Amino acid sequence: MAVSVMLVDDEKILLDDLFSIFDWEANGFQIIATARNGKDGIAKFNKFHPQIVISDIKMPIMDGLTMLNQIRSIDKNCKFLILTAYGEFDYAIQAIKLGLTDYFIKNKIHKPEFSKKLLSIKENIQAENELSHLALQQIVIDYLNSNLPDSPSYVGSVRSNIFTLKYYFLIFEPDPILFGPPNHAGGLFKLDISNAFLTSHLSAHAVEFVCHIEDARVLVLLAQKANHSTESHLCRSDIAVLIQEAKPFFPMRFSVYVSETQLCFSDFRDQYKQLKKAFLERIFFPEDQTVFDFSFLLKSPEKCNIAIDKSYIMQLIESGDDESLQCYLNEIFFIIKKHRDAYSLLSTLKTIKEIFRDQYNHNILTSHFDDSIFNTSSMYTFDDAYHWLCSCISQVIEYKAKDLSKTYSAIVQNTLLFINRNYCDPDLTIQQIAENHFVSPNYLSTIFKKETGTTVLNYITDLRMQKAKSLLKTSPLPIGQISVTCGYSSPQYFSQAFFKYYNETPRVYRDDIQSRQNTL
């Protein structure tokens, strides 16, 4: 965002020289006003609020020092540069006492020095703005969480126009994920997104303030433009502009929640407490809708009490009756969708996921089981949850049937289960497994190879490689952490083993997967 500048001088020739001596726009500055004396300068300052004022000292009607003194009482953060002539250093000293930022000698202004000083001032302004913005952002967060008093005297001392005027409040928030860690992205929000919003061209409203309030949630305050005398309702086209501006800063899907009327901060705070509780319900919203009114979000769905019969589900899985299992779970999902009860959905899916994973853990040849079905990181809506359920049912039943078609001796079954539970141990050996089952390593090797068609060590490697491939594909874990999770003592050893097994390194495999996903 460009740094705003006002030029004040009674000599038109000097004003023209200031315009031409420096490429203002290319260097991130914008001259928003000019004035011919101090009185005119104060009027223009009150109207345009420039961040830098460059002014002559000796001018008719009101001199530059008097103007500087009055501007300082209005805005202590404004940067002030004076233009002085030889023999006027007493004025410069007075200006320094009033808070002068720097000065130049008339007719001796050198372009390199002028450019260097202005760019240095610009850097200081940007640093101060960021610190000021972060401080105000923290005040807003504390205020919304009821950690600050509501007295006008206190909030007025912080920033009176933010806490006393009325605004349209917009909340930009990433869509939720049903399982796994939430979309915590505290570091995602930067001053850049504030600048992007603040330069948006809206029809009847202007972005007054932008801040990150928690997780990846961003709050935007819209004020009515001064040239609109009557209250203008917030246009959806304006919201569409803001959504377009926000997209580069939210790499995930997000929705926007809007107050129907202009609110003061205290009224918004009361609503925000309810909104935070209601965000869970968003998983039922239509996928093609992005903007929601506060009132719609605050409608309380009717709660339903769902009792999951775990033993019945287990019985259907054991018997391979996928049709009855699908019908049973369809009835449960129909009730949940009818009542729009997010809490019941989360609870039900968690229970079903635990049942399916238990079946997966007891599936004998789990190295051939595609456990990526348990990845729910892309689950946002009710339909996502239902499609996940159908996929799980078909795979669990299919692999359970394969499991039932095989018969293993007790010692081989116990060995397979022991390996499945301990494959992440880098010290796992056939000696350890044999001792755990009170047999010799030679005997275990012989019977295992005879019944499964593979060796114990090959089975361990197969299992570790399948797990590694699944994690590289579906999780954000660093490769070093995946190596530990899959039973390798070092990332280097893991990479060598992965390359030997798949003929490519873990990093290349992950990059290829991400590249294909990005092209979809």
Side-chain angles (χ1 to χ4, degrees):
M1 190 173 183
V3 174
S4 55
V5 180
M6 179 172 71
L7 305 179
V8 186
D9 201 295
D10 60 323
E11 297 181 29
K12 186 178 184 303
I13 294 176
L14 189 54
L15 284 177
D16 292 340
D17 288 343
L18 289 174
F19 268 101
S20 61
I21 195 173
F22 182 64
D23 193 341
W24 298 92
E25 185 176 348
N27 287 284
F29 295 84
Q30 181 183 9
I31 298 176
I32 59 172
T34 60
R36 301 300 292 270
N37 57 66
K39 184 178 180 181
D40 186 28
I42 291 173
K44 296 285 182 64
F45 184 89
N46 286 326
K47 182 177 181 180
F48 297 105
H49 302 288
Q51 295 165 288
I52 299 175
V53 174
I54 301 176
S55 174
D56 191 5
I57 292 180
K58 288 188 174 181
M59 294 180 292
I61 303 176
M62 181 186 289
D63 62 56
L65 294 184
T66 304
M67 180 183 69
L68 167 58
N69 192 30
Q70 292 194 27
I71 287 176
R72 274 282 171 264
S73 66
I74 300 170
D75 185 352
K76 295 179 180 179
N77 295 319
C78 179
K79 308 303 177 187
F80 209 100
L81 291 85
I82 64 167
L83 306 173
T84 184
Y86 286 117
E88 296 180 346
F89 288 110
D90 287 343
Y91 291 109
I93 292 171
Q94 285 182 255
I96 290 172
K97 291 179 180 179
L98 292 173
L100 175 71
T101 305
D102 214 326
Y103 71 91
F104 299 99
I105 298 176
K106 283 185 179 181
N107 304 320
K108 296 290 183 180
I109 299 177
H110 299 291
K111 184 174 181 179
E113 182 185 3
F114 188 77
S115 301
K116 183 178 179 181
K117 287 185 177 181
L118 280 176
L119 292 174
S120 176
I121 292 171
K122 175 188 172 185
E123 288 181 6
N124 291 336
I125 289 174
Q126 290 174 337
E128 290 172 6
N129 284 348
E130 188 162 2
L131 287 173
S132 175
H133 188 278
L134 291 174
L136 183 55
Q137 176 176 285
Q138 188 58 52
I139 291 171
V140 169
I141 293 171
D142 290 340
Y143 185 74
L144 291 178
N145 289 304
S146 302
N147 296 328
L148 291 181
D150 202 16
S151 63
S153 60
Y154 181 84
V155 296
S157 67
V158 176
R159 184 170 175 177
S160 58
N161 63 321
I162 287 292
F163 291 96
T164 58
L165 299 180
K166 289 187 175 184
Y167 305 95
Y168 281 104
F169 288 79
L170 281 70
I171 298 174
F172 286 71
E173 173 154 326
D175 289 340
I177 294 175
L178 298 186
F179 293 107
N183 275 319
H184 290 298
L188 179 68
F189 178 84
K190 297 181 180 178
L191 194 62
D192 293 343
I193 191 173
S194 176
N195 292 339
F197 278 127
L198 291 171
T199 55
S200 300
H201 298 289
L202 308 182
S203 57
H205 298 86
V207 178
E208 178 72 16
F209 181 68
V210 183
C211 78
H212 155 238
I213 46 180
E214 54 186 302
D215 296 338
R217 189 175 299 156
V218 173
L219 177 66
V220 178
L221 274 59
L222 293 185
Q224 186 167 297
K225 289 183 178 179
N227 58 351
H228 285 73
S229 56
T230 58
E231 180 176 345
S232 301
H233 292 291
L234 184 58
C235 299
R236 291 291 162 142
S237 59
D238 280 353
I239 299 176
V241 171
L242 295 178
I243 289 174
Q244 200 63 32
E245 299 288 357
K247 281 184 177 180
F249 302 94
F250 288 93
M252 67 292 285
R253 284 170 32 172
F254 67 92
S255 298
V256 185
Y257 305 92
V258 186
S259 63
E260 294 91 329
T261 60
Q262 296 185 74
L263 304 171
C264 62
F265 235 106
S266 59
D267 290 338
F268 171 70
R269 177 169 67 174
D270 293 338
Q271 290 198 21
Y272 184 65
K273 294 174 184 177
Q274 303 174 58
L275 290 169
K276 289 174 69 174
K277 296 179 181 179
F279 281 137
L280 266 178
E281 311 298 337
R282 294 174 300 139
I283 53 181
F284 294 103
F285 294 159
E287 292 186 17
D288 59 349
Q289 189 172 349
T290 305
V291 182
F292 304 94
D293 293 333
F294 283 178
S295 60
F296 177 77
L297 188 63
L298 292 173
K299 289 179 182 177
S300 297
E302 183 182 353
K303 303 298 179 186
C304 58
N305 296 316
I306 300 293
I308 304 296
D309 191 340
K310 290 185 179 181
S311 60
Y312 180 59
I313 293 177
M314 296 287 286
Q315 178 185 336
L316 294 176
I317 292 175
E318 290 293 338
S319 64
D321 190 350
D322 57 335
E323 186 175 342
S324 297
L325 178 59
Q326 185 76 63
C327 290
Y328 175 68
L329 295 177
N330 279 351
E331 292 176 6
I332 294 173
F333 268 58
F334 175 79
I335 295 172
I336 292 174
K337 188 171 185 178
K338 178 182 178 181
H339 291 270
R340 296 171 54 86
D341 185 353
Y343 298 99
S344 291
L345 176 63
L346 292 172
S347 175
T348 299
L349 287 175
K350 182 179 179 181
T351 300
I352 294 172
K353 186 175 182 181
E354 288 173 353
I355 294 173
F356 286 167
R357 184 168 285 283
D358 181 66
Q359 288 297 311
Y360 161 73
N361 287 334
H362 287 83
N363 190 61
I364 299 301
L365 287 176
T366 52
S367 64
H368 301 292
F369 191 100
D370 183 12
D371 65 340
S372 64
I373 63 169
F374 297 117
N375 173 40
T376 50
S377 61
S378 60
M379 194 183 296
Y380 293 94
T381 67
F382 182 91
D383 289 339
D384 290 339
Y386 183 76
H387 293 148
W388 169 84
L389 174 71
C390 295
S391 176
C392 280
I393 290 175
S394 62
Q395 288 211 43
V396 169
I397 293 293
E398 177 185 351
Y399 283 95
K400 190 66 180 179
K402 289 183 179 179
D403 179 26
L404 292 172
S405 67
K406 295 183 178 293
T407 57
Y408 297 103
S409 62
I411 187 171
V412 171
Q413 289 190 40
N414 290 333
T415 298
L416 289 167
L417 291 175
F418 184 86
I419 294 173
N420 292 339
R421 293 167 182 162
N422 296 279
Y423 70 90
C424 56
D425 180 3
D427 299 322
L428 182 64
T429 63
I430 190 170
Q431 180 73 30
Q432 178 187 354
I433 300 169
E435 289 177 359
N436 185 268
H437 293 90
F438 305 103
V439 296
S440 70
N442 287 337
Y443 175 76
L444 181 61
S445 295
T446 301
I447 192 171
F448 190 92
K449 177 68 180 293
K450 180 180 179 181
E451 294 188 17
T452 66
T454 188
T455 67
V456 173
L457 292 180
N458 283 343
Y459 178 77
I460 294 173
T461 300
D462 288 346
L463 180 58
R464 286 173 171 170
M465 288 295 103
Q466 292 290 336
K467 298 292 184 183
K469 195 171 185 179
S470 177
L471 288 172
L472 288 167
K473 181 179 180 181
T474 62
S475 85
L477 291 175
I479 291 176
Q481 192 170 341
I482 290 176
S483 68
V484 174
T485 303
C486 294
Y488 290 91
S489 55
S490 72
Q492 293 78 12
Y493 180 36
F494 167 64
S495 293
Q496 292 171 4
F498 192 93
F499 184 83
K500 183 178 179 180
Y501 196 91
Y502 290 114
N503 200 31
E504 62 181 339
T505 65
R507 187 171 302 281
V508 169
Y509 174 76
R510 171 173 273 180
D511 289 345
D512 287 345
I513 292 295
Q514 292 176 347
S515 177
R516 287 197 293 269
Q517 290 175 343
N518 291 336
T519 58
L520 294 179

